[in-house]
Amino acid sequence: SQLDPAAARSKVPAFSRLARELGAASTAEAGGNVLSAIQHWRATLETHDQLVPASSVSAIRNEIVSKLGAHLYELGDIAFRRGMLTDAFQYWMQGASVDGQNQQIQEGLRRLEAHGTRTLNELRSGSMRHCGLIREVVATTQQSAPVNIRARSAARKLGCRG
């Protein structure tokens, strides 16, 4: 089926926006500005999804999702290495919501779970001073992860609040 001329004209602004955002994302990437690149890749994805039906297979969408996921993984990895576990979790969960098949993001989330397991294993005695560490494990792992369930149980036993 062909697009009628009026419908085609109505899509011109979105195609122009898509081209602008693609260019801005690429420029930000080339300049090493990851946060700006993420912002533009998100806008590019949003515009693409307005133009192309969700049921359609799109190599362009796949490329946008891949770039966005890679950048979110990168930010999460930097945060993790700096000990900013909540930030790492947030970046990786954003990445997983965009690119659920990204193996690096899945590995990052597993690293947080392993870190949480080590943290819980190192808590020898049940004291209130451990509540902060337990809350960090809960905040930086997925609710369905065994380590998260274990941490919530430990928090209840200790009477941790928040």
Side-chain angles (χ1 to χ4, degrees):
S1 71
Q2 288 188 338
L3 193 61
D4 71 81
R9 277 191 299 280
S10 72
K11 295 194 180 283
V12 168
F15 278 111
S16 295
R17 191 169 49 254
L18 182 67
R20 268 194 319 277
E21 290 298 341
L22 275 168
S26 296
T27 299
E29 253 180 7
N33 189 340
V34 176
L35 292 174
S36 180
I38 288 171
Q39 175 186 353
H40 290 293
W41 284 122
R42 280 188 174 140
T44 302
L45 183 60
E46 183 180 301
T47 302
H48 175 277
D49 289 350
Q50 291 170 359
L51 291 167
V52 179
S55 60
S56 298
V57 175
S58 168
I60 293 171
R61 186 181 203 289
N62 291 344
E63 182 66 21
I64 295 166
V65 164
S66 177
K67 296 259 189 190
L68 190 50
H71 287 306
L72 288 165
Y73 168 77
E74 180 184 352
L75 288 178
D77 187 56
I78 291 167
F80 183 85
R81 286 186 277 122
R82 291 181 177 169
M84 301 164 58
L85 303 182
T86 302
D87 290 343
F89 180 69
Q90 290 172 349
Y91 286 126
W92 287 336
M93 288 302 292
Q94 288 174 35
S97 73
V98 172
D99 186 6
Q101 303 304 310
N102 184 307
Q103 292 302 307
Q104 287 182 305
I105 290 170
Q106 298 306 317
E107 180 56 33
L109 291 169
R110 284 190 291 276
R111 285 170 38 203
L112 282 170
E113 290 174 14
H115 180 272
T117 298
R118 283 190 305 277
T119 298
L120 291 179
N121 288 343
E122 291 171 4
L123 300 179
R124 300 274 184 247
S125 62
S127 73
M128 292 305 284
R129 64 188 179 91
H130 295 312
C131 288
L133 294 172
I134 292 169
R135 277 192 293 274
E136 181 179 74
V137 172
V138 170
T140 61
T141 57
Q142 296 181 69
Q143 274 193 320
S144 60
V147 67
N148 186 289
I149 295 165
R150 185 174 157 210
R152 285 183 282 137
S153 174
R156 281 191 298 277
K157 287 178 185 173
L158 287 174
C160 298
R161 290 183 169 51

